[in-house]
Amino acid sequence: MEVECIPFKETGYFSRLICDYLDQKETLSPFYNRYPKPENFGDQIKEKAANYPKSNRSVLVGSLIEQYKGVNVSKETQKNIDSLGSENTFTVVTGHQLNLFTGPLYFLYKIVSTINLAKRLNKQHPDQHVVPIYWMASEDHDFDEINYFNLHGKKVLWNKKATGAVGRLPTDGLDEVFEIFASELGNLGLTDRLKDLFKEAYLGHATLTEATRYLANSLFGEEGLVIVDGDDKELKKLLVPYAKTDILDHTPFEEISGTINKLSKLSTDYNIQVNPREINYFYLKDGLRERIVLKKGKYHVINTHIDFTEEELLDELEAYPERFSPNVVARPLYQEVILPNLCYIGGGGELAYWLELKAYFEKVGVTFPMLMLRNSVLLITEKQSEKVEKMGLTVSHLFMKQHSLINKKIRDISNIDIDFSPQKKLLEEQFQQMYALAEKTDKSFLGAVKAQEVKQKKGLDNLEKRLLRAQKRKLKDHVVRLTDLQNALFPNRSLQERQLNFSEIYLEMGDDMIPLLLETLDPFSQDFTILKH
């Protein structure tokens, strides 16, 4: 197994905000607590220990025991659940949607990053214990985002009408999806393990939450992963005081809006990931998850006939906290209230919206976690690696936009020089002389000189493009082989990890896949990882 690394900012797939965060740009320091360096975790442990109520631990452990009833719990996971009752135990967390059969590959990379971070911290801080957590986004209602996965370039789709929180959805209809999946897999090689895993997860459990817990536990239970479902009445009780400040005082709306304004002033390249609402909670029942808004003096659940006075809403919140579901802005706070958490591990988009939240956390007195970019991986076979070498390229070249990559390759292999830069430079020198002449004779002539310069430069650009097109036709075989290779490694001209499902890689690597990721990936890495297998 060979490992190659590319700095995230050189891949072209990460935002300016995230690249600046990774560079620890000074202007961004007000927007996070501590940067996730190994030496910074000691202070984070002290701060969280001083700011996490002991009573929350017993609630957390009690809920986890209930959630794991009927689940085959590994010794490591059980040990971690039990340890959460101790004051010297902390967590590191990643979260993800309940994508069908894990969805894209990076589901695995998120969890591996989290497990490996916990292992590193346990070695570094032997007097504390750190537990890896996977937070299931069971209350999301964007069914169209999670009801499919890709296999061999085809979409395996759960075609179902769905409303409300996806975690509560019954698994009806997934037997038909299994038949499609099994047919696409065929009967060769490692397919039986994948079929059994899908069948046991989705046909053997009543809801999508139960199925996803089974699947994640099957893949990572031996590593001690603890899976948390936030759709839990006892856990929601801990959120009630914070929900009140959101609904009545609009605290997150004010604080996050101010942060967004500050971020926007730092750079026009910083795209805002999420915007807060005046009320950042949904009303949740089976088949229903709709926003709560203040309308004509009452709290109205949109797309329903449900209305509350302020007193009625507060009574409902106290009596039925499980009916109040935090949105993307409020959910991070919920997580940090109920967990003794040190660090959140997520993708670039997730970290971008977490960077909007620190002032809100400070306002309500909750410790802001460290933010770590998850590992990103490109898996490449030996055969594909050999093709790259034969083409005189490196894997890093394949991260280029396809037209730029083709042009580079054509220039590299062409027996004529298709770079007109020297001619353009000579042209500029000649026109400098003409500008000087115009200055001495007739300055009104300067515009005509400029127009002629632009025209001739444009002519050279057009000639260069025509020559490249001609060479592409002449060297068509090289172009086809190059584009086929890049398309295989970057399907839909996107990162492999955002398109492929783990099952496709499992068919190549088998049971070595996850152990290899656990062995190879460094959560503190600042690089995109290329694994040749």
Side-chain angles (χ1 to χ4, degrees):
M1 172 60 59
E2 292 182 45
V3 181
E4 185 179 333
C5 296
I6 304 173
F8 281 110
K9 63 183 178 183
E10 292 180 14
T11 67
Y13 283 94
F14 293 82
S15 71
R16 170 74 179 279
L17 176 60
I18 294 304
C19 290
D20 284 353
Y21 175 68
L22 294 175
D23 285 340
Q24 299 172 62
K25 195 170 182 180
E26 184 61 31
T27 52
L28 284 177
S29 60
F31 302 96
Y32 59 91
N33 195 0
R34 295 176 182 88
Y35 193 78
K37 296 177 180 179
E39 61 268 27
N40 288 343
F41 275 87
D43 287 338
Q44 189 74 16
I45 288 171
K46 290 176 184 176
E47 183 179 348
K48 188 66 180 184
N51 196 29
Y52 181 71
K54 185 178 179 180
S55 57
N56 288 18
R57 289 187 179 276
S58 58
V59 175
L60 175 62
V61 173
S63 286
L64 287 172
I65 290 171
E66 284 296 314
Q67 291 181 18
Y68 268 86
K69 280 185 176 178
V71 178
N72 185 17
V73 187
S74 71
K75 288 182 180 179
E76 287 301 312
T77 294
Q78 188 62 58
K79 173 186 169 186
N80 281 338
I81 292 173
D82 293 341
S83 75
L84 285 166
S86 302
E87 292 184 50
N88 68 336
T89 296
F90 300 89
T91 64
V92 290
V93 181
T94 194
H96 197 66
Q97 294 171 295
L98 274 57
N99 294 71
L100 187 62
F101 211 46
T102 76
L105 261 172
Y106 68 80
F107 172 85
L108 267 64
Y109 305 155
K110 276 184 163 184
I111 293 179
V112 169
S113 299
T114 307
I115 291 169
N116 282 352
L117 178 59
K119 289 179 180 178
R120 288 280 295 273
L121 294 176
N122 281 324
K123 287 181 180 178
Q124 185 179 336
H125 300 277
D127 293 336
Q128 278 83 33
H129 184 61
V130 180
V131 174
I133 301 283
Y134 161 44
W135 179 289
M136 292 191 292
S138 54
E139 294 181 45
D140 280 4
H141 61 256
D142 295 319
F143 181 66
D144 290 343
E145 291 184 4
I146 59 100
N147 67 339
Y148 70 94
F149 61 94
N150 298 318
L151 178 62
H152 300 150
K154 301 174 184 177
K155 181 180 280 191
V156 180
L157 178 68
W158 183 15
N159 196 3
K160 175 188 180 82
K161 287 185 178 179
T163 57
V166 296
R168 299 185 181 188
L169 290 176
T171 51
D172 301 344
L174 280 169
D175 52 341
E176 298 173 10
V177 178
F178 171 73
E179 294 301 326
I180 295 168
F181 175 54
S183 175
E184 181 60 36
L185 283 177
N187 295 303
L188 299 176
L190 298 161
T191 58
D192 286 348
R193 163 69 172 144
L194 291 171
K195 291 175 186 176
D196 290 344
L197 190 59
F198 189 102
K199 186 186 295 185
E200 289 163 6
Y202 294 99
L203 308 189
H205 293 87
T207 67
L208 191 56
T209 289
E210 292 173 9
T212 304
R213 182 187 288 111
Y214 176 88
L215 181 59
N217 186 60
S218 297
L219 294 173
F220 295 104
E222 293 304 316
E223 298 297 326
L225 182 70
V226 175
I227 302 161
V228 175
D229 177 13
D231 189 3
D232 181 295
K233 181 174 183 176
E234 296 306 311
L235 294 178
K236 288 277 184 75
K237 286 179 180 177
L238 303 178
L239 186 62
V240 168
Y242 304 95
K244 286 180 181 177
T245 64
D246 185 308
I247 295 168
L248 301 182
D249 302 331
H250 312 309
T251 303
F253 178 75
E254 294 174 3
E255 296 298 329
I256 298 170
S257 295
T259 298
I260 288 173
N261 186 46
K262 291 175 184 175
L263 275 170
S264 300
K265 288 179 179 178
L266 287 181
S267 173
T268 55
D269 292 328
Y270 289 173
N271 295 323
I272 299 307
Q273 200 68 21
V274 297
N275 286 288
R277 297 186 181 276
E278 290 191 346
I279 297 174
N280 294 285
Y281 282 81
F282 294 88
Y283 192 66
L284 178 67
K285 284 187 174 182
D286 286 342
L288 173 71
R289 187 180 187 245
E290 295 287 358
R291 286 196 299 116
I292 301 168
V293 297
L294 188 58
K295 183 179 179 182
K296 296 180 180 178
K298 287 197 172 184
Y299 292 91
H300 174 67
V301 180
I302 64 172
N303 298 319
T304 74
H305 297 293
I306 302 172
D307 290 296
F308 298 98
T309 64
E310 181 177 306
E311 184 179 355
E312 289 169 341
L313 186 76
L314 294 177
D315 288 342
E316 184 84 354
L317 179 59
E318 291 286 351
Y320 304 103
E322 71 276 15
R323 295 180 181 175
F324 292 78
S325 176
N327 72 359
V328 66
V329 162
R331 191 212 62 79
L333 182 80
Y334 178 31
Q335 169 190 297
E336 298 302 313
V337 165
I338 68 172
L339 295 174
N341 193 44
L342 305 175
C343 182
Y344 183 77
I345 300 96
E350 291 175 284
L351 263 55
Y353 75 70
W354 273 89
L355 288 169
E356 300 174 18
L357 305 179
K358 182 168 175 270
Y360 170 40
F361 274 67
E362 290 175 343
K363 184 73 173 180
V364 296
V366 176
T367 297
F368 195 63
M370 299 165 87
L371 304 176
M372 177 175 280
L373 185 65
R374 66 168 173 82
N375 289 114
S376 281
V377 183
L378 173 65
L379 293 160
I380 179 170
T381 65
E382 286 186 13
K383 188 175 181 181
Q384 289 169 327
S385 183
E386 288 171 4
K387 287 181 180 180
V388 173
E389 290 179 17
K390 285 179 181 178
M391 291 180 187
L393 298 169
T394 65
V395 178
S396 60
H397 287 130
L398 297 178
F399 283 81
M400 297 171 66
K401 299 298 182 185
Q402 193 162 95
H403 68 277
S404 300
L405 177 62
I406 292 170
N407 289 347
K408 170 186 166 44
K409 182 60 181 172
I410 293 300
R411 285 190 168 99
D412 287 347
I413 64 176
S414 180
N415 56 4
I416 58 174
D417 191 357
I418 314 178
D419 184 2
F420 284 5
S421 297
Q423 288 84 352
K424 292 174 185 174
K425 186 176 180 181
L426 180 61
L427 189 67
E428 288 173 357
E429 291 172 355
Q430 291 173 339
F431 271 93
Q432 285 302 320
Q433 296 173 17
M434 296 185 70
Y435 284 128
L437 183 62
E439 284 279 359
K440 293 177 182 178
T441 55
D442 185 354
K443 290 186 179 181
S444 64
F445 189 51
L446 287 170
V449 175
K450 180 64 177 177
Q452 192 60 225
E453 181 186 15
V454 169
K455 182 179 179 181
Q456 293 197 31
K457 280 185 176 178
K458 189 174 181 181
L460 281 175
D461 285 338
N462 289 334
L463 285 173
E464 189 175 14
K465 290 174 184 176
R466 287 186 64 182
L467 193 55
L468 267 172
R469 286 197 295 268
Q471 284 298 95
K472 285 177 187 177
R473 289 193 295 271
K474 185 177 177 180
L475 302 170
K476 184 179 178 181
D477 181 56
H478 290 279
V479 172
V480 169
R481 285 190 288 118
L482 178 58
T483 54
D484 284 349
L485 178 59
Q486 190 185 44
N487 290 340
L489 291 171
F490 293 80
N492 295 325
R493 300 193 184 183
S494 179
L495 290 176
Q496 178 193 72
E497 63 181 30
R498 298 177 186 172
Q499 298 292 319
L500 267 58
N501 180 258
F502 87 97
S503 58
E504 199 158 334
I505 305 298
Y506 181 86
L507 291 173
E508 298 175 2
M509 300 178 66
D511 291 334
D512 292 336
M513 180 185 179
I514 290 177
L516 177 66
L517 294 173
L518 288 164
E519 179 185 341
T520 307
L521 298 185
D522 176 6
F524 290 104
S525 172
Q526 295 279 79
D527 295 325
F528 196 109
T529 305
I530 299 162
L531 293 183
K532 301 175 185 177
H533 63 94

